[in-house]
Amino acid sequence: MQSTMQDVPLTVTRILAHGSTVHANAHVTTWTGEGAPRRRSFAEVGARATRLAHALRALGVREGDPVGTLMWNNADHVEAYLTVPSMGAVLHTLNLRLPPEQLAWIVRHAADRVVIVNGSLLPLLAPLLPHLDCVEHVVVSGPGDLSALEGCRPQVHAYDELIAGSPAESYDWPELDERQAAALCYTSGTTGDPKGVVYSHRSIYLHAMEVNAAASFGLKPGETCLPVVPMFHVNAWGLPHAAFMAGTSLLMPDRFLQPAPLAEMIESERPTVTAGVPTIWQGLLAELDAKPRDVSSLRTVVSGGSACPPSLMKAFEERHGLTLVQAWGMTETSPLGTVAHPPPGLGAEEAWPYRITQGRMPVSVEARLIGPGGETLPWDGRSAGELEVRGPWIAGAYHGGADGEPQRPEDKFSEDGWLRTGDVGTITADGFLTLTDRAKDVIKSGGEWISSVELENHLMAHPQVAEAAVVAVPDEKWGERPLAAVVLKDGSSVGYEGLRAFLSERIARWQLPERWALVPAVPKTSVGKFDKKVLRRQYADGELVVTTLG
Ligand code: ADP
């Protein structure tokens, strides 16, 4: 028997059309630092998207062409997000925190023809342009010093003028195949070279539906979502698309990502949901502790991108009444992989052990654990192995560059097509994933594995510790042993012996670090995660002052 259902493609075009009509009155609000925030209704975004599409077509953008964005989280970026894929072109979000050479490499690898850039980021882009032969047009959004672009080869346009000068009549949006490329994002390169992940219309659409599911973040009409996670970090975790689907207003922080303006915008704009990496929340916590604000509008604070210390979750809850919800994902997983909502009906104490896991997969994400010998491990909450996943918004390959074929490196994709995440953990019978480490960060001490994440979580629960990162360092006797790099809070008096004693009440003796270093800050990656690669190098180069306890 054949299905009698219509086969209508799932596209970003549909998300744009739906949001800008059915949810015409929802808003994108962009924080401006000083003065009133700028508001733009979803209807206005839709109207401007039409003009932007005409303008980009006039610049020569055709189906399949990559269009780069080097932008903060703001309304113009949202317009590009929805317009570029709807034209059949490919939105390539560029990470503005990458070292310039890496950024240039990525633009060339993707062969971006147009780059839309915030004026405030021209000092970053302008010096790269002589090395970016592929770029034909630069479109500048917002104020900036255009003299930086004088004499540059690509043609320069002002975003608002381009929009104002383009036809307002409807754009002939193409009929797209839902499987064609819609957006491109390179991994942040915590481990190795950046790799391009190409999202399809279908993957973005299905992923946004999952973001809106009650079992995930449940965005609703009338709510406001504050994506602190940058729009260049895995499509801001799908939140802009999800918001246009659900009719949820967006509060965009632009470049005001520091704790004080974040606290201010939460107090005055009253978002209900927000999302970011743990280091952002660590900063916000310190800010709120020092200068309390009314943050009671927030029903959910999503923490993802790296392990969320349980002590941070507790502190937010006890001191500010905020609920942190942990989620796990990767650039390769769009990123929604798991969300840690406890099973229903549990009291706070019973729910806690579930909330501090990475959470459960949605129906569209299948998971398996692979042991050291390649065997599939049981979901028993004890057997630890590498997590592999598959599903309709999980990458099956990497972008091979302008003329290259997609790449399927063996260490990243199994023979039968699953994504090897490089994350190590356990899964319980009812599907709760607990990650103990990245495979590359696991400490292999005398045949036993020590979880760096577990040690970090315990250390960060110490009242005098601001941050702590634990890495493996070579050891003659044991192969590897843990080194703890600790950032103390101002005015702290605790010494290494005190920290070690604190740990010894919580973990087995053989896991206790002997090597300790005080550092002014834990090095961070371009998306704010602990950069353990840098710590290991600093140790190897003798840059850390290390104290060894007997
Ligand atoms: P990169 O791999 O370059 O850092 P990603 O942003 O894709 O860029 O990082 C994905 C990785 O981040 C995951 O493989 C995992 O190691 C880590 N991660 C993400 N969320 C969590 C979480 N909730 N708990 C622990 N680790 C996490």
Side-chain angles (χ1 to χ4, degrees), residues 54-69:
H54 281 296
L56 291 176
R57 188 162 65 182
L59 296 187
V61 173
R62 297 287 173 259
E63 272 199 36
D65 284 347
V67 173
T69 56

Side-chain angles (χ1 to χ4, degrees), residues 479-498:
E480 284 178 357
R481 290 294 297 160
L483 160 84
V486 179
V487 184
L488 291 179
K489 287 185 184 162
D490 288 344
S492 304
S493 55
V494 65
Y496 296 130
E497 294 287 359

Side-chain angles (χ1 to χ4, degrees), residues 56-82:
L56 291 176
R57 188 162 65 182
L59 296 187
V61 173
R62 297 287 173 259
E63 272 199 36
D65 284 347
V67 173
T69 56
L70 187 62
M71 302 173 86
W72 304 102
N73 290 14
N74 51 41
D76 287 356
H77 205 174
V78 173
E79 283 165 10
Y81 245 56
L82 298 170

Side-chain angles (χ1 to χ4, degrees), residues 89 124 144 222 328 338 362 399 410 415 432 434 484 529:
L124 171 61
W328 164 87
T338 60
H399 183 45
E410 252 173 47
E415 250 171 46
F432 281 89
T434 297
K529 306 183 189 194

Side-chain angles (χ1 to χ4, degrees), residues 12 64-70 77 80-81 84-85 89-95 105-113 180-187 194-201 203-204 231-236 241 331-332 334 395 397-402:
V12 174
D65 284 347
V67 173
T69 56
L70 187 62
H77 205 174
Y81 245 56
V84 172
V90 182
L91 176 91
H92 176 200
T93 49
L94 294 163
N95 181 341
W105 183 91
I106 286 174
V107 173
R108 282 195 302 264
H109 191 259
D112 294 332
R113 294 187 59 194
Q180 80 187 58
L184 167 61
C185 179
Y186 282 73
T187 62
K195 298 179 192 75
V197 174
V198 187
Y199 308 101
S200 65
H201 284 263
S203 73
I204 289 175
M231 291 173 79
F232 56 75
H233 189 203
V234 212
N235 296 327
H241 301 113
T331 307
E332 292 88 336
S334 292
Y398 292 120
H399 183 45

